[in-house]
Amino acid sequence: MPNSPSDTPDTPGPQEAPRRIKIQRRGPLLVEGPVEVELEDGTTVSSDRFRVALCTCHRSRRYPWCDTSHRARSAGSAEGSAGKE
């Protein structure tokens, strides 16, 4: 992991700001775009949107992009456990 900007070959130029990533406890990673994402199998997917939601729960049918599948699972689990009492 680089400790300073000079340690990375892909250091943004003076006009480019670093990418901002917002971490949410129960949700996707929100990344300021455009982005390229390298998957485990080596393939690359890209998005030119101004903000991208990356799935962290692996439930998305559009992985690596978040499709809010985490919401349905969370809501269903809470209702199911309340009805069993």
Coordinates of all heavy atoms in Angstrom, one line a residue:
M1 N 0.8 -1.2 0.0 CA 0.0 0.0 0.0 C 0.9 1.2 0.0 O 1.8 1.4 0.8 CB -0.9 0.0 1.2 CG -1.8 1.1 1.4 SD -2.9 0.9 2.7 CE -4.4 0.7 1.8
P2 N 0.7 2.1 -0.9 CA 1.5 3.3 -1.0 C 1.3 4.2 0.2 O 0.2 4.4 0.7 CB 1.1 4.0 -2.3 CG -0.1 3.3 -2.8 CD -0.3 2.1 -2.0
N3 N 2.4 4.9 0.6 CA 2.4 5.8 1.7 C 2.3 7.3 1.3 O 1.9 8.1 2.0 CB 3.6 5.6 2.6 CG 3.5 4.3 3.3 OD1 2.5 3.8 3.7 ND2 4.7 3.7 3.5
S4 N 2.7 7.5 0.0 CA 2.6 8.9 -0.5 C 2.3 8.8 -2.0 O 2.5 7.8 -2.6 CB 4.0 9.5 -0.3 OG 5.0 8.9 -1.2
P5 N 1.8 9.9 -2.5 CA 1.4 9.9 -3.9 C 2.5 9.6 -4.9 O 2.3 9.0 -5.9 CB 0.9 11.4 -4.1 CG 0.5 11.9 -2.8 CD 1.5 11.1 -1.8
S6 N 3.7 9.8 -4.5 CA 4.9 9.5 -5.4 C 5.1 8.0 -5.5 O 5.8 7.6 -6.4 CB 6.1 10.2 -4.9 OG 6.5 9.8 -3.6
D7 N 4.5 7.2 -4.6 CA 4.7 5.8 -4.6 C 3.9 5.1 -5.6 O 4.0 3.9 -5.9 CB 4.4 5.2 -3.2 CG 5.5 5.6 -2.2 OD1 6.5 6.1 -2.6 OD2 5.2 5.4 -1.0
T8 N 2.9 5.8 -6.2 CA 2.0 5.1 -7.2 C 2.2 5.7 -8.6 O 2.4 6.9 -8.8 CB 0.5 5.4 -6.8 OG1 0.3 6.8 -6.8 CG2 0.2 4.8 -5.4
P9 N 2.3 4.8 -9.6 CA 2.5 5.2 -10.9 C 1.2 5.9 -11.5 O 1.3 6.7 -12.4 CB 2.8 4.0 -11.7 CG 2.2 2.9 -10.9 CD 2.2 3.3 -9.5
D10 N 0.0 5.7 -11.0 CA -1.2 6.2 -11.5 C -1.6 7.5 -10.7 O -2.8 7.7 -10.5 CB -2.3 5.2 -11.4 CG -2.0 4.0 -12.3 OD1 -1.3 4.2 -13.3 OD2 -2.5 2.9 -12.0
T11 N -0.7 8.2 -10.2 CA -1.0 9.4 -9.4 C -1.7 10.4 -10.2 O -1.3 10.7 -11.4 CB 0.3 10.1 -8.9 OG1 1.0 9.1 -8.1 CG2 0.0 11.3 -8.0
P12 N -2.9 10.9 -9.7 CA -3.6 11.9 -10.5 C -2.8 13.2 -10.8 O -1.9 13.6 -10.0 CB -4.8 12.3 -9.6 CG -4.8 11.2 -8.5 CD -3.5 10.6 -8.5
G13 N -3.0 13.8 -11.9 CA -2.3 15.0 -12.2 C -2.9 16.2 -11.4 O -3.8 16.0 -10.6
P14 N -2.3 17.4 -11.6 CA -2.7 18.5 -10.8 C -4.2 18.9 -10.9 O -4.8 19.4 -10.0 CB -1.8 19.7 -11.3 CG -0.9 19.1 -12.3 CD -1.2 17.7 -12.5
Q15 N -4.8 18.6 -12.1 CA -6.2 19.0 -12.3 C -7.1 17.9 -11.8 O -8.3 18.1 -11.6 CB -6.5 19.2 -13.8 CG -5.9 20.4 -14.4 CD -4.5 20.2 -14.9 OE1 -4.0 19.1 -14.9 NE2 -3.9 21.2 -15.4
E16 N -6.6 16.7 -11.5 CA -7.5 15.6 -11.1 C -7.5 15.4 -9.6 O -6.4 15.4 -9.0 CB -7.0 14.3 -11.7 CG -7.1 14.2 -13.2 CD -6.7 12.9 -13.8 OE1 -7.1 11.8 -13.2 OE2 -5.8 12.9 -14.7
A17 N -8.7 15.3 -9.0 CA -8.8 15.1 -7.6 C -8.8 13.6 -7.4 O -9.2 12.8 -8.2 CB -10.0 15.7 -7.1
P18 N -8.4 13.1 -6.2 CA -8.5 11.7 -5.9 C -10.0 11.3 -5.9 O -10.9 12.1 -5.6 CB -7.9 11.5 -4.5 CG -7.6 12.9 -4.0 CD -7.9 13.9 -5.1
R19 N -10.2 10.0 -6.2 CA -11.6 9.4 -6.2 C -12.1 9.4 -4.7 O -11.3 9.1 -3.8 CB -11.6 8.0 -6.7 CG -11.3 7.9 -8.1 CD -12.5 8.3 -9.0 NE -12.1 8.2 -10.4 CZ -12.2 9.1 -11.3 NH1 -12.7 10.3 -10.9 NH2 -11.8 8.9 -12.5
R20 N -13.3 9.8 -4.5 CA -13.9 9.7 -3.2 C -14.8 8.5 -3.1 O -15.6 8.2 -4.0 CB -14.8 11.0 -2.9 CG -15.4 11.0 -1.6 CD -16.2 12.2 -1.3 NE -15.3 13.4 -1.4 CZ -14.7 14.0 -0.3 NH1 -15.0 13.5 0.9 NH2 -13.9 15.0 -0.5
I21 N -14.6 7.7 -2.0 CA -15.4 6.5 -1.8 C -16.1 6.7 -0.5 O -15.5 7.0 0.5 CB -14.5 5.3 -1.8 CG1 -13.8 5.1 -3.1 CG2 -15.3 4.0 -1.4 CD1 -12.8 4.0 -3.1
K22 N -17.4 6.5 -0.5 CA -18.2 6.6 0.7 C -18.6 5.2 1.2 O -19.2 4.5 0.5 CB -19.5 7.5 0.5 CG -20.3 7.7 1.7 CD -21.5 8.6 1.4 CE -22.3 8.8 2.7 NZ -23.4 9.6 2.5
I23 N -18.3 4.9 2.4 CA -18.6 3.6 3.0 C -19.8 3.7 3.9 O -19.9 4.7 4.7 CB -17.4 3.1 3.9 CG1 -16.1 3.0 3.0 CG2 -17.7 1.8 4.6 CD1 -14.9 2.6 3.7
Q24 N -20.8 2.8 3.7 CA -22.0 2.8 4.5 C -22.0 1.5 5.2 O -21.7 0.4 4.7 CB -23.2 2.9 3.6 CG -23.2 4.2 2.8 CD -24.4 4.3 1.8 OE1 -25.0 3.3 1.5 NE2 -24.6 5.5 1.3
R25 N -22.5 1.5 6.4 CA -22.6 0.3 7.2 C -23.3 -0.8 6.6 O -22.9 -2.0 6.5 CB -23.2 0.6 8.6 CG -23.2 -0.7 9.5 CD -23.7 -0.3 10.8 NE -22.6 0.4 11.5 CZ -22.2 0.2 12.7 NH1 -22.8 -0.7 13.4 NH2 -21.3 0.9 13.3
R26 N -24.6 -0.6 6.1 CA -25.4 -1.6 5.5 C -25.8 -1.2 4.1 O -26.9 -0.8 3.8 CB -26.7 -1.8 6.3 CG -26.4 -2.4 7.7 CD -27.6 -2.8 8.4 NE -27.3 -3.5 9.6 CZ -27.9 -3.2 10.7 NH1 -28.9 -2.4 10.8 NH2 -27.5 -3.9 11.8
G27 N -24.8 -1.1 3.2 CA -25.1 -0.7 1.9 C -23.9 -0.8 1.0 O -22.9 -1.4 1.4
P28 N -24.0 -0.3 -0.2 CA -22.9 -0.4 -1.1 C -21.8 0.6 -0.9 O -22.0 1.5 -0.1 CB -23.6 -0.1 -2.5 CG -24.7 0.8 -2.1 CD -25.2 0.4 -0.7
L29 N -20.7 0.4 -1.5 CA -19.6 1.5 -1.5 C -20.0 2.5 -2.6 O -20.3 2.1 -3.8 CB -18.3 0.9 -1.9 CG -17.6 0.0 -0.9 CD1 -16.3 -0.6 -1.4 CD2 -17.3 0.8 0.4
L30 N -20.1 3.7 -2.3 CA -20.4 4.8 -3.3 C -19.1 5.4 -3.7 O -18.4 5.9 -2.9 CB -21.4 5.8 -2.7 CG -22.7 5.3 -2.2 CD1 -23.5 6.4 -1.6 CD2 -23.5 4.6 -3.3
V31 N -18.9 5.3 -5.0 CA -17.6 5.8 -5.6 C -17.9 6.8 -6.6 O -18.8 6.7 -7.5 CB -16.9 4.6 -6.3 CG1 -15.5 5.0 -6.9 CG2 -16.7 3.4 -5.4
E32 N -17.2 7.9 -6.5 CA -17.3 9.0 -7.5 C -16.7 8.5 -8.8 O -15.6 8.0 -8.9 CB -16.6 10.3 -7.1 CG -17.3 10.9 -5.9 CD -16.7 12.2 -5.5 OE1 -15.7 12.6 -6.1 OE2 -17.2 12.8 -4.5
G33 N -17.5 8.5 -9.9 CA -17.1 8.0 -11.2 C -16.5 9.0 -12.1 O -16.3 10.2 -11.7
P34 N -16.2 8.6 -13.3 CA -16.3 7.3 -13.9 C -15.3 6.3 -13.3 O -14.2 6.7 -12.7 CB -16.0 7.5 -15.3 CG -15.2 8.7 -15.4 CD -15.6 9.6 -14.2
V35 N -15.6 5.0 -13.3 CA -14.7 4.0 -12.7 C -14.5 2.8 -13.7 O -15.3 2.6 -14.6 CB -15.3 3.5 -11.4 CG1 -15.4 4.6 -10.4 CG2 -16.6 2.8 -11.6
E36 N -13.4 2.1 -13.5 CA -13.2 0.8 -14.0 C -13.0 -0.1 -12.9 O -12.2 0.2 -11.9 CB -11.9 0.8 -14.9 CG -12.1 1.4 -16.2 CD -10.9 1.2 -17.2 OE1 -9.9 0.7 -16.7 OE2 -11.0 1.6 -18.3
V37 N -13.6 -1.3 -12.9 CA -13.5 -2.3 -11.8 C -13.0 -3.6 -12.4 O -13.5 -4.1 -13.4 CB -14.9 -2.6 -11.2 CG1 -14.8 -3.6 -10.1 CG2 -15.5 -1.3 -10.6
E38 N -11.9 -4.1 -11.8 CA -11.3 -5.3 -12.2 C -11.9 -6.4 -11.3 O -11.7 -6.4 -10.1 CB -9.8 -5.3 -12.1 CG -9.2 -6.6 -12.7 CD -7.7 -6.6 -12.6 OE1 -7.1 -5.5 -12.7 OE2 -7.1 -7.7 -12.6
L39 N -12.5 -7.4 -11.9 CA -13.1 -8.5 -11.2 C -12.1 -9.6 -10.9 O -11.0 -9.6 -11.4 CB -14.3 -9.1 -12.0 CG -15.4 -8.1 -12.4 CD1 -16.4 -8.7 -13.3 CD2 -16.0 -7.5 -11.2
E40 N -12.5 -10.6 -10.1 CA -11.6 -11.6 -9.6 C -11.1 -12.4 -10.8 O -9.9 -12.9 -10.8 CB -12.3 -12.6 -8.7 CG -12.6 -12.0 -7.3 CD -13.4 -12.9 -6.4 OE1 -14.4 -13.4 -6.9 OE2 -12.9 -13.2 -5.3
D41 N -11.9 -12.6 -11.8 CA -11.4 -13.4 -13.0 C -10.6 -12.6 -14.0 O -10.2 -13.1 -15.0 CB -12.6 -14.0 -13.7 CG -13.6 -13.0 -14.3 OD1 -13.3 -11.8 -14.3 OD2 -14.6 -13.4 -14.9
G42 N -10.3 -11.3 -13.7 CA -9.4 -10.5 -14.5 C -10.2 -9.7 -15.5 O -9.6 -8.8 -16.1
T43 N -11.5 -9.9 -15.7 CA -12.2 -9.0 -16.6 C -12.4 -7.6 -16.0 O -12.4 -7.5 -14.8 CB -13.6 -9.6 -16.9 OG1 -14.4 -9.8 -15.7 CG2 -13.5 -11.0 -17.6
T44 N -12.6 -6.7 -16.9 CA -12.8 -5.3 -16.4 C -14.2 -4.8 -16.9 O -14.5 -5.0 -18.0 CB -11.7 -4.4 -17.0 OG1 -10.4 -4.9 -16.6 CG2 -11.8 -3.0 -16.5
V45 N -14.9 -4.2 -16.0 CA -16.2 -3.5 -16.3 C -16.0 -2.1 -16.0 O -15.2 -1.7 -15.1 CB -17.3 -4.2 -15.5 CG1 -17.6 -5.6 -16.0 CG2 -17.1 -4.1 -14.0
S46 N -16.7 -1.2 -16.7 CA -16.6 0.2 -16.4 C -18.0 0.9 -16.4 O -19.0 0.4 -16.9 CB -15.7 0.8 -17.5 OG -16.3 0.7 -18.8
S47 N -18.0 2.1 -15.8 CA -19.2 2.9 -15.8 C -18.7 4.3 -15.9 O -17.7 4.8 -15.3 CB -19.9 2.7 -14.5 OG -21.0 3.6 -14.4
D48 N -19.5 5.1 -16.7 CA -19.1 6.5 -16.9 C -20.0 7.4 -16.1 O -20.0 8.6 -16.2 CB -19.1 6.9 -18.3 CG -20.4 6.7 -19.0 OD1 -21.4 6.2 -18.4 OD2 -20.6 7.1 -20.2
R49 N -20.8 6.8 -15.2 CA -21.7 7.6 -14.3 C -20.9 8.5 -13.3 O -19.8 8.2 -13.0 CB -22.7 6.7 -13.6 CG -23.6 5.9 -14.5 CD -24.5 5.1 -13.7 NE -25.4 6.0 -12.9 CZ -26.6 5.7 -12.6 NH1 -27.1 4.6 -13.0 NH2 -27.3 6.6 -11.9
F50 N -21.6 9.6 -12.8 CA -20.9 10.4 -11.9 C -20.7 9.8 -10.5 O -19.8 10.2 -9.7 CB -21.5 11.8 -11.8 CG -22.9 11.8 -11.1 CD1 -22.9 12.1 -9.7 CD2 -24.0 11.5 -11.7 CE1 -24.1 12.1 -9.0 CE2 -25.2 11.5 -11.1 CZ -25.3 11.7 -9.7
R51 N -21.6 8.9 -10.2 CA -21.5 8.1 -8.9 C -21.9 6.7 -9.2 O -22.9 6.5 -9.8 CB -22.3 8.7 -7.8 CG -22.1 8.0 -6.5 CD -22.8 8.7 -5.3 NE -22.2 10.1 -5.1 CZ -22.9 11.2 -4.9 NH1 -24.2 11.1 -4.8 NH2 -22.3 12.3 -4.8
V52 N -21.2 5.8 -8.6 CA -21.4 4.3 -8.8 C -21.6 3.7 -7.5 O -20.8 4.0 -6.5 CB -20.2 3.7 -9.6 CG1 -20.5 2.2 -9.8 CG2 -20.0 4.4 -10.9
A53 N -22.5 2.7 -7.4 CA -22.7 2.0 -6.2 C -22.2 0.6 -6.4 O -22.7 -0.2 -7.3 CB -24.2 1.9 -5.8
L54 N -21.1 0.2 -5.6 CA -20.5 -1.1 -5.8 C -21.1 -2.0 -4.7 O -21.1 -1.7 -3.5 CB -19.0 -1.0 -5.6 CG -18.3 -0.2 -6.7 CD1 -16.8 -0.1 -6.4 CD2 -18.5 -0.9 -8.1
C55 N -21.5 -3.2 -5.1 CA -22.1 -4.2 -4.2 C -21.1 -4.8 -3.2 O -20.0 -5.1 -3.7 CB -22.8 -5.3 -5.0 SG -23.5 -6.6 -4.0
T56 N -21.4 -4.8 -1.9 CA -20.5 -5.5 -1.0 C -21.0 -6.7 -0.4 O -20.4 -7.4 0.4 CB -20.1 -4.5 0.2 OG1 -21.3 -4.1 0.8 CG2 -19.4 -3.3 -0.4
C57 N -22.3 -7.0 -0.7 CA -23.0 -8.2 -0.1 C -23.0 -9.4 -1.0 O -23.4 -10.5 -0.6 CB -24.4 -7.9 0.4 SG -25.6 -7.6 -0.9
H58 N -22.7 -9.2 -2.3 CA -22.7 -10.3 -3.3 C -24.1 -10.8 -3.6 O -24.2 -11.9 -4.2 CB -21.7 -11.4 -2.9 CG -20.3 -11.0 -3.0 ND1 -19.5 -11.2 -4.1 CD2 -19.5 -10.4 -2.1 CE1 -18.3 -10.7 -3.9 NE2 -18.3 -10.2 -2.7
R59 N -25.1 -10.1 -3.2 CA -26.5 -10.5 -3.6 C -27.0 -9.9 -4.9 O -28.0 -10.3 -5.4 CB -27.5 -10.1 -2.4 CG -27.2 -10.8 -1.1 CD -28.2 -10.4 -0.1 NE -27.8 -10.9 1.2 CZ -27.7 -10.2 2.3 NH1 -28.0 -8.9 2.3 NH2 -27.3 -10.7 3.4
S60 N -26.3 -8.9 -5.4 CA -26.8 -8.2 -6.6 C -26.8 -9.1 -7.8 O -25.8 -9.9 -8.0 CB -25.9 -7.0 -6.8 OG -26.2 -6.4 -8.0
R61 N -27.8 -9.0 -8.6 CA -27.8 -9.7 -9.9 C -27.0 -9.0 -10.9 O -26.8 -9.6 -12.0 CB -29.3 -9.9 -10.4 CG -30.1 -10.8 -9.5 CD -31.5 -11.0 -10.0 NE -32.2 -11.8 -9.1 CZ -33.5 -11.6 -8.8 NH1 -34.2 -10.6 -9.3 NH2 -34.1 -12.4 -7.9
R62 N -26.6 -7.8 -10.6 CA -25.8 -7.0 -11.6 C -24.4 -6.8 -11.0 O -23.7 -5.9 -11.4 CB -26.4 -5.7 -11.8 CG -27.8 -5.8 -12.4 CD -28.4 -4.4 -12.7 NE -27.5 -3.7 -13.6 CZ -27.3 -2.4 -13.5 NH1 -27.8 -1.7 -12.6 NH2 -26.4 -1.8 -14.4
Y63 N -23.9 -7.7 -10.2 CA -22.6 -7.6 -9.5 C -21.5 -7.3 -10.5 O -21.5 -7.9 -11.6 CB -22.3 -8.9 -8.8 CG -21.0 -8.8 -7.9 CD1 -21.1 -8.2 -6.7 CD2 -19.8 -9.2 -8.4 CE1 -20.0 -8.1 -5.9 CE2 -18.7 -9.1 -7.6 CZ -18.7 -8.5 -6.4 OH -17.6 -8.4 -5.6
P64 N -20.6 -6.3 -10.3 CA -20.3 -5.7 -9.1 C -21.2 -4.4 -8.8 O -21.0 -3.8 -7.7 CB -18.8 -5.3 -9.3 CG -18.8 -4.9 -10.7 CD -19.7 -5.9 -11.4
W65 N -22.1 -4.1 -9.6 CA -22.9 -2.9 -9.4 C -24.1 -3.3 -8.4 O -24.6 -4.4 -8.5 CB -23.5 -2.4 -10.7 CG -22.6 -2.4 -11.8 CD1 -22.7 -3.0 -13.0 CD2 -21.3 -1.7 -11.9 NE1 -21.6 -2.8 -13.8 CE2 -20.8 -1.9 -13.2 CE3 -20.6 -0.8 -11.0 CZ2 -19.5 -1.4 -13.6 CZ3 -19.4 -0.3 -11.4 CH2 -18.9 -0.6 -12.7
C66 N -24.4 -2.4 -7.5 CA -25.4 -2.7 -6.5 C -26.8 -2.5 -7.2 O -27.0 -1.5 -7.9 CB -25.3 -1.7 -5.4 SG -26.6 -1.9 -4.1
D67 N -27.7 -3.5 -6.9 CA -29.1 -3.3 -7.4 C -30.1 -3.3 -6.2 O -31.3 -3.5 -6.4 CB -29.5 -4.5 -8.4 CG -29.5 -5.8 -7.7 OD1 -29.3 -5.9 -6.5 OD2 -29.8 -6.8 -8.4
T68 N -29.6 -2.9 -5.1 CA -30.3 -2.8 -3.8 C -30.9 -4.1 -3.3 O -31.9 -4.1 -2.5 CB -31.4 -1.7 -3.9 OG1 -32.5 -2.1 -4.7 CG2 -30.8 -0.4 -4.3
S69 N -30.4 -5.3 -3.7 CA -30.8 -6.6 -3.2 C -30.7 -6.7 -1.7 O -31.4 -7.4 -1.1 CB -30.1 -7.7 -3.9 OG -30.4 -7.8 -5.3
H70 N -29.7 -6.0 -1.2 CA -29.5 -6.1 0.3 C -30.7 -5.5 1.1 O -30.9 -6.0 2.2 CB -28.2 -5.3 0.7 CG -28.3 -3.8 0.3 ND1 -28.0 -3.3 -1.0 CD2 -28.6 -2.7 1.0 CE1 -28.1 -2.0 -1.0 NE2 -28.5 -1.6 0.2
R71 N -31.4 -4.6 0.5 CA -32.6 -4.1 1.2 C -33.7 -5.1 1.3 O -34.3 -5.3 2.4 CB -33.2 -2.9 0.4 CG -32.3 -1.7 0.4 CD -32.9 -0.6 -0.3 NE -32.0 0.5 -0.5 CZ -32.2 1.6 -1.2 NH1 -33.3 1.6 -2.0 NH2 -31.4 2.6 -1.3
A72 N -34.0 -5.9 0.3 CA -35.1 -6.9 0.3 C -34.7 -7.9 1.3 O -35.6 -8.4 2.1 CB -35.3 -7.5 -1.1
R73 N -33.5 -8.4 1.4 CA -33.1 -9.4 2.3 C -33.2 -8.9 3.7 O -33.6 -9.7 4.6 CB -31.6 -9.8 2.0 CG -31.0 -10.9 2.8 CD -31.6 -12.2 2.4 NE -31.0 -13.3 3.1 CZ -30.2 -14.2 2.6 NH1 -29.9 -14.2 1.3 NH2 -29.7 -15.1 3.4
S74 N -32.8 -7.7 4.0 CA -32.8 -7.2 5.4 C -34.3 -7.0 5.8 O -34.6 -7.4 6.9 CB -32.1 -5.8 5.4 OG -30.7 -6.0 5.1
A75 N -35.1 -6.5 5.0 CA -36.5 -6.3 5.3 C -37.2 -7.6 5.6 O -38.0 -7.8 6.5 CB -37.2 -5.5 4.3
G76 N -37.0 -8.6 4.7 CA -37.6 -9.9 4.8 C -37.2 -10.6 6.1 O -38.0 -11.3 6.7
S77 N -35.9 -10.5 6.4 CA -35.4 -11.2 7.6 C -36.0 -10.6 8.9 O -36.4 -11.3 9.8 CB -33.9 -11.0 7.7 OG -33.3 -11.6 6.6
A78 N -36.2 -9.3 8.9 CA -36.8 -8.7 10.1 C -38.3 -9.1 10.3 O -38.7 -9.4 11.3 CB -36.7 -7.2 10.0
E79 N -39.0 -9.1 9.2 CA -40.4 -9.5 9.2 C -40.6 -10.9 9.6 O -41.5 -11.3 10.3 CB -41.1 -9.2 7.9 CG -41.2 -7.7 7.6 CD -41.7 -7.4 6.1 OE1 -42.1 -8.4 5.4 OE2 -41.7 -6.3 5.7
G80 N -39.7 -11.8 9.0 CA -39.8 -13.2 9.2 C -39.6 -13.6 10.7 O -40.3 -14.4 11.3
S81 N -38.7 -12.9 11.3 CA -38.3 -13.3 12.7 C -39.4 -12.7 13.7 O -39.7 -13.3 14.7 CB -37.0 -12.7 13.1 OG -37.0 -11.3 13.0
A82 N -40.1 -11.6 13.3 CA -41.1 -11.0 14.1 C -42.4 -11.9 14.1 O -43.1 -12.0 15.1 CB -41.5 -9.6 13.6
G83 N -42.6 -12.6 13.0 CA -43.8 -13.4 12.8 C -43.7 -14.7 13.5 O -44.7 -15.4 13.7
K84 N -42.5 -15.2 13.9 CA -42.3 -16.5 14.5 C -42.5 -16.5 16.0 O -42.5 -17.5 16.7 CB -40.9 -17.0 14.2 CG -40.7 -17.3 12.8 CD -39.3 -17.8 12.5 CE -39.1 -18.1 11.1 NZ -37.8 -18.7 10.8
E85 N -42.7 -15.3 16.6 CA -42.8 -15.2 18.1 C -44.2 -15.6 18.5 O -45.2 -15.5 17.9 CB -42.5 -13.8 18.6 CG -41.0 -13.6 18.4 CD -40.6 -12.2 18.9 OE1 -41.2 -11.7 19.9 OE2 -39.7 -11.6 18.4

